[in-house]
Amino acid sequence: MMRRLTIVTALLSLCFGWISAEEAEPLEDAFEGGDITTMNSVVVTGTRTPRRLKETPVQTRVITREEILKADATNIQDLLQTELPGVEFTYAMNQQVSMNLSGFSGLGILFLVDGEPLAGETLDNIDFTRLSMNDVERVEIVQGATSALYGSSAAGGVINIITRQDTVPWTLHLDGRYAHHNQQRYNLRQSLRQGIYAHTLTFSRTSSDGYDVHNADNDVSARTFSHVFGDDTWQAGYRLQLDPTERLRLGGRLGFFRRTVDRAADMPERYYDYTGGLRAEWTLGERDRLEASYSFDQYDKSRYQSVRGLNVRQYSNVRNAARLLWNHRFRQSDMFTLGADYLYDYLMSNNIEAPARQQSFDLYGQYDWRISPRWELVGALRYDWLSERSLSRLTPKLSACYRPAERWTLRASYGMGFRAPSLKERYHDFDMAGIWIVEGNADLRPETSHSVQFSGEVTVERWVFTLSGRYARVFDRIATGIPYHKAGDTRQLYLSYLNLGDQNVYGAEASVSTRWTCGLGLKLDYAFCHEDVSGETANAYTPIRPHSLTARLDWERQLSSLWALNVGLSGRALSAVRNTEFTDLADPAQGTRSVRYPGYTLWRLQAGVRFRDGATLTATVDNLFNHRPDYYYYNAPLTTGTNFLVGLSLDIDRLCSKR
Amino acid sequence: MRIFSFHILFCLLLPLPMLLASCEGAFGWMYDDPEAPATPAPEVNADRSVTATLSVNANPWGEWHYIDLPEVIRRLRADASADVNALWVTHDIPLEATGPTEMVTGHRRTGQYLYRFDTNYGEPIKGSEFQSFTPTAAQTDPDEWSIAVHRSEVRTNGGSVWESELSDIARATEADYRHASYTPDEWSENEVWSDSRTMISQLVPSQGIAVNKVLGRWLRMTLMPDYERNGHVFFLRLRDGSFAALQLVNHIGGGTPQNPSPIRCYLTLKVRYPLP
């Protein structure tokens, strides 16, 4: 599989699960039809209420714990690019990561952990290395405009990471992995449940050396690079949960993250995150449920001046969020949801004149109308108010679900989305080594989008087939324009954030999955995406590749009561893509050219042997066919060829249990 | 019940540090103050030489910064607390064309030489290729100066330099500096990068001027824009025949509470002068 830039990782600041462990059905019990371990999973993201995946009226993609383990993913970036077609992580501005999910940049994709927002940004979204997979139960992905439930940052979709909840008295998990470039990963997870009390302690460490990559002669782009930076992450988290009564659950959490990147040996970059939160879930009666939460997240960047021994902070983004959610179930199973959020967003950076602050408040309501066993309709309306320029927006969403037969599900939805300009887009002035100055624009208008999507899902014997299509139109898209000179200054180039124009995004996805009784499982996912964009931009980001495919074939065999064997072959294939770029960024007058970025495919073969269901030794051949890009640029995989990984995982509680 | 109460209390108090944090963040104690550290006081050595610390922001692409070492020592002898950094003098690099751009080189005329550098962000320079020459006025210098710095490049005022293996300027007199082999300034037309604004296109105009390539080794760009400092003690033979020891002790500095961004090529030097 692709050699990832994210050689890194770390945990996440764990939160409390929205869904109680009792509600989550064991994967083994899932779905009478065959594999299809995900269909009975409980999901919450699409409607903000717990629903089984096969019943939710909003199309939701789930990556289960089992799939996370098979992917051997270190962090969310690893996981998404392994499991999800139509997503691509690219590199710009000295190998910082940006994201494109089905035509939407990372700026329009909202990442949540147990429903709580995250602070900080690297290029166009959060620091993905924060989101370790060590303590993740599942990942829920809802694409399309979800602003009616999640607000400004969710115009392109929501990715909600749900942390693990244990039901056994205690667990102790340890794992380690080693690979080429001295890539190391270590995880520890310990949990305890006693009476009304439960806690989870997590710790993760990853590190990797930097390494050189070699480009062919006659670079097609001046943007190639010849060194991939190493990094080092540490992460720790603690979660506490109390169930003082059957109807009340209380929780608290704390987390810390640190990452060092050696982009410059004389001044390494450091990233920190401090997080904490409180949550209460109160079942008021058989029909009512109330949730309240408070979340604190502070993401800082600093540079360490090695000679003077100074660690000077240059950036700090602090988010304090409070949330209230009330669900009421009517007699006929209809569900009414009413929620409100408050967010205080603070940004300090050496690239803005003075710290920027923004408060936002929202109120939303949703009615889930179960018209009949076959028909269900969900309507939602949300009002957002942002203190910056007193911006307000009303966004609706409507979803319909029809089940013509037991194993058929058809869904359709419309959503209006909006994305308010970020504080960075409004106020950041960034001098890019004198080459140009990226200027914030306080007068930006919000992006507005409308999206529709349809999907069909059918189960035949042991097979599950899914087909979906979507269209989105984005108005007043925000991006940096083309470089220009200001009046009276013919030397310095400027790049300003502008409302550039409109964007049309068309997409389709198809997937098939099955598992046979012999232990063989197959999963194929294909995605098509096409973007039409108006307005000239010097943006470094390449458009989404039109075609992408992820595949996994795995086989598991219980050899004896003690030993089991599993083998998996997985891969992804991405088509070529063309991008229109300026011939000379320093002289836009020279015009543009079309640059073709070639497609590629990466495959991984993994074999593991498991003892007593508690100790697993895994050997992996990554990038099986030894793919090496001719040029290393924005969207090339950061692989240097075939890579070998070896890992050991220990579940001490299982090894100690009597069987 | 006691255990229950304890857990409730613990659960509620757990995130208390966060709740108590201001809405605008906490943990400032994790970081250092960006203000520059105090300059060490000058030392008078047994051989009557003075060891002083000098700092200058040599980051701007279009400037040379000059210092006159004898004057620095004179001031410090008169007043040990004198602000000798105020003695740095800045002159702009002439960029205005005084004639038409030409496609020839090798004539060693003063002006701007445009080179295309084979490099990218995050990688070493692999080579360079001459593009064009634009004549400009000659560089103007102060009346009295010993060395001039521009980012990592250095010029001497008729001096020459020897690089020792010493890494402690206090031991400078242990070196046989009087009999070492000294290197004078040499002509250069692709080292003094004078403008970064076309760097995105790998085109960098450089000033045609003589620089001291030995003393310039004290700071070398490795991976762009990463610099590697050479901590050796360098010996400068001034035009008048006197000797100074120079050591670059830091190349990153600057930053204020308002703008904590550290600056590369913010040079801090130790100078010992005059050597016996």
Side-chain angles (χ1 to χ4, degrees), chain B residues 46-231:
Chain B
D47 56 18
R48 293 188 50 77
S49 66
V50 175
T51 302
T53 302
L54 299 169
S55 294
V56 63
N57 178 9
N59 178 277
W61 298 85
E63 297 173 355
W64 280 104
H65 305 270
Y66 299 81
I67 193 83
D68 181 19
L69 297 180
E71 178 62 15
V72 168
I73 302 308
R74 264 196 300 277
R75 291 284 183 96
L76 289 174
R77 282 193 167 134
D79 175 7
S81 62
D83 178 15
V84 288
N85 287 325
L87 297 177
W88 287 98
V89 176
T90 300
H91 283 210
D92 289 342
I93 293 176
L95 295 174
E96 195 171 336
T98 55
T101 296
E102 304 167 12
M103 308 305 287
V104 291
T105 183
H107 41 60
R108 296 198 171 190
R109 288 158 57 194
T110 58
Q112 292 292 316
Y113 293 76
L114 187 66
Y115 271 75
R116 180 180 291 281
F117 286 85
D118 186 6
T119 185
N120 281 311
Y121 212 72
E123 66 178 25
I125 294 169
K126 288 172 281 194
S128 61
E129 183 185 353
F130 173 76
Q131 303 291 305
S132 63
F133 165 73
T134 304
T136 67
Q139 181 67 44
T140 60
D141 298 324
D143 294 336
E144 299 292 336
W145 61 284
S146 308
I147 60 168
V149 293
H150 164 270
R151 297 183 64 81
S152 60
E153 296 79 40
V154 198
R155 294 162 55 209
T156 69
N157 187 9
S160 53
V161 179
W162 170 62
E163 179 184 357
S164 76
E165 295 292 322
L166 289 174
S167 56
D168 181 359
I169 203 166
R171 298 174 57 193
T173 51
E174 296 174 16
D176 189 13
Y177 59 87
R178 287 188 172 276
H179 302 100
S181 174
Y182 283 75
T183 304
D185 293 6
E186 299 170 48
W187 176 257
S188 158
E189 58 184 41
N190 62 0
E191 295 191 30
V192 182
W193 293 9
S194 51
D195 198 336
S196 65
R197 283 170 281 196
T198 50
M199 200 179 288
I200 190 74
S201 310
Q202 297 175 303
L203 292 169
V204 185
S206 305
Q207 184 183 25
I209 198 164
V211 297
N212 196 287
K213 295 183 179 178
V214 172
L215 192 48
R217 291 203 292 250
W218 68 7
L219 190 60
R220 186 173 63 91
M221 188 161 68
T222 49
L223 294 178
M224 185 177 171
D226 196 4
Y227 284 84
E228 187 176 272
R229 185 175 54 87
N230 173 349

Side-chain angles (χ1 to χ4, degrees), chain A residues 372-375 401-411 455-458:
Chain A
S372 72
R374 293 182 186 276
W375 278 98
C401 181
Y402 175 56
R403 299 180 190 89
E406 173 68 18
R407 294 176 179 269
W408 279 87
T409 306
L410 302 175
R411 298 180 178 95
S455 71
E457 191 176 276
V458 60

